[in-house]
Amino acid sequence: MQIIAETASDIEALALKMGQQQFDFVSLHGNCNLQIAREAPAALQQAKRIHGATSCHGIMSNSGANNGLGAFAICDPKGAYGTGMAAFEQSVASAAQSATKRALVDAKRIGEQPALVWVSATPGNEEQVIAGIEAVIGKDAAPIIGGSAADNDVSGDWSVFSMDEMAASGVVVSVLFPSVPISFAYQNGYSPTDRSGVVTAAEGRKIREIDGRPALDVYREWTGGAVTAVEHGAGSRPILSESTFWPLGREVSRFGDVPLYLLAHPSVAHDDSSIDLFANVSEGETLTQMNGTAHSLIERAGRVASLACASGRIEKSDVAGALMVYCGGCMLSVRDKIDEVAAGVADALDGAPFLGTFTFGEQGSLLQAGNRHGNLMISCIVFGVE
């Protein structure tokens, strides 16, 4: 297996840097302003398949942050790879099923369980995407890891694409059967506080009440006023920025005595004191107020990369390459220090090529909890050497 991670300011320069090698799989990500979804297929003719999604303000790699494009390319004749895509024309779950089936056909591995599923979907329905993929491969039969497509300002200017298609609302799924060992980790960089409560009224991604009280009132108290109230009649107000260091956590499993939390990022506050999130929350779930700092978000990515190596007993000197998903909200909060984030990952991987994409939702597999969608999360997939 050979892995490269190349970056460039535009697609033509990226194609030139990648040369004419016949790559079995290319995961391509970058700034939505660069029209990569439309230009990539023509420019990357040497790729056998492309898995693409826009990323918030570019990508990161060994050389630091880049406001342009990045490609993670694999040449692995002994392995098998497949990519499929479908637009969200009707059922999201059905689209995810269709994309997964197409990916398995493309890999010539129909009916087999991949070592890993790499997924990119446009934001809003990630739980249904996971359900659709698992309807094909089986529930928790293989880790599903990826990140939601993003733009630069949450205006909806995101897209996903493959070699043949692109969509502003859809999903691209790749099934990986590599010839080398792979390992992964999926975590967050936040700590639980002593404040928690039970969701008593909710609809999908909207929380109306916690412990029988208006959700925004409770959240304001928990955060010590970091998020302010919305006056009656004022409608709605985005709170992504002020809530980034104060997400809500759900305990989904435990590692010994240590609880593992899946995060939900509050996105909009309403004048009826309800809160919108970037993940589904159900009535009866217990929410714990989490807290993070810029320091914790900067150093966590390197720790996740190290954990990905350790969980598969892959020495960092034996890493052929890695794919990383880093929440776009976290990136924006530490944007002036993002080169430090990249440097920490590069050190953890002993300088192996890696590509990190900045996403608006993260999917991964948690111990004893299976494949889940969360926010403000970090994941890393490590490919070993033969």
Side-chain angles (χ1 to χ4, degrees), residues 320-382:
L323 262 172
M324 173 162 276
V325 173
Y326 191 90
C327 168
C330 294
M331 182 276 293
L332 290 172
S333 296
V334 298
R335 193 175 179 188
D336 60 337
K337 301 288 187 180
I338 198 64
D339 283 340
E340 293 182 28
V341 176
V345 176
D347 181 66
L349 300 175
D350 201 30
F354 83 91
L355 181 70
T357 178
F358 304 125
T359 56
F360 283 170
E362 297 74 49
Q363 299 79 52
S365 180
L366 288 167
L367 183 67
Q368 300 178 4
N371 295 310
R372 304 291 290 265
H373 164 68
N375 306 141
L376 301 166
M377 306 289 286
I378 305 169
S379 69
C380 184
I381 306 166
V382 168

Side-chain angles (χ1 to χ4, degrees), residues 233-268:
S236 305
R237 182 171 60 81
I239 56 171
L240 276 171
S241 178
E242 52 262 60
S243 67
T244 295
F245 290 125
W246 299 98
L248 298 169
R250 292 159 288 165
E251 182 181 330
V252 292
S253 64
R254 282 182 171 259
F255 185 74
D257 293 330
V258 179
L260 301 179
Y261 291 94
L262 188 67
L263 304 187
H265 190 179
S267 58
V268 178

Side-chain angles (χ1 to χ4, degrees), residues 8-305:
S9 59
D10 58 66
I11 193 66
E12 290 82 6
L14 184 65
L16 185 63
K17 290 177 70 174
M18 291 173 65
Q20 297 302 312
Q21 186 168 343
Q22 287 289 313
F23 294 105
D24 296 291
F25 175 75
V26 174
S27 196
L28 182 64
H29 305 269
N31 197 316
C32 64
N33 291 339
L34 300 177
Q35 298 295 314
I36 52 172
R38 300 185 187 281
E39 298 175 9
L44 298 181
Q45 296 261 340
Q46 74 274 26
K48 295 181 180 178
R49 54 192 57 84
I50 294 174
H51 176 123
T54 53
S55 175
C56 182
H57 289 287
I59 49 83
M60 66 176 172
S61 69
N62 304 68
S63 56
N66 186 308
N67 200 35
L69 308 174
F72 182 85
I74 298 175
C75 183
D76 184 15
K78 296 180 181 178
Y81 301 82
T83 298
M85 187 185 146
F88 294 152
E89 295 178 346
Q90 295 181 347
S91 164
V92 171
S94 295
Q97 288 182 45
S98 176
T100 306
K101 291 176 181 177
R102 292 180 186 180
L104 288 167
V105 169
D106 186 37
K108 298 181 173 59
R109 293 293 186 92
I110 301 172
E112 297 185 42
Q113 291 178 350
L116 183 139
V117 176
W118 175 240
V119 60
S120 299
T122 51
N125 301 281
E126 291 89 345
E127 292 88 354
Q128 296 176 56
V129 167
I130 291 174
I133 295 171
E134 291 189 329
V136 178
I137 66 171
K139 185 171 178 59
D140 300 328
I144 300 171
I145 302 177
S148 307
D151 61 8
N152 296 338
D153 53 11
V154 203
S155 63
D157 191 24
W158 45 59
S159 62
V160 294
F161 55 96
S162 66
M163 185 70 85
D164 304 312
E165 303 175 71
M166 68 86 65
S169 178
V171 59
V172 57
V173 176
S174 291
V175 292
L176 280 58
F177 299 83
S179 64
V180 300
I182 61 171
S183 186
F184 63 90
Y186 177 57
Q187 283 195 345
N188 69 76
Y190 295 77
S191 300
T193 69
D194 60 359
R195 299 179 287 279
S196 64
V198 176
V199 178
T200 48
E203 303 165 9
R205 295 189 169 185
K206 182 186 292 293
I207 304 175
R208 294 193 177 278
E209 294 181 359
I210 299 173
D211 290 337
R213 298 176 57 209
L216 183 58
D217 293 353
V218 175
Y219 184 59
R220 288 174 54 224
E221 292 177 7
W222 284 358
T223 63
V227 176
T228 58
V230 180
E231 293 184 8
H232 182 70
S236 305
R237 182 171 60 81
I239 56 171
L240 276 171
S241 178
E242 52 262 60
S243 67
T244 295
F245 290 125
W246 299 98
L248 298 169
R250 292 159 288 165
E251 182 181 330
V252 292
S253 64
R254 282 182 171 259
F255 185 74
D257 293 330
V258 179
L260 301 179
Y261 291 94
L262 188 67
L263 304 187
H265 190 179
S267 58
V268 178
H270 300 281
D271 61 2
D272 63 357
S273 292
S274 64
I275 302 172
D276 290 348
L277 309 173
F278 266 129
N280 289 356
V281 172
S282 302
E283 292 180 7
E285 284 194 291
T286 296
L287 297 179
T288 296
Q289 181 63 71
M290 309 292 287
N291 180 229
T293 64
H295 175 74
S296 67
L297 297 184
I298 291 168
E299 61 89 29
R300 176 61 67 170
R303 292 177 60 183
V304 171

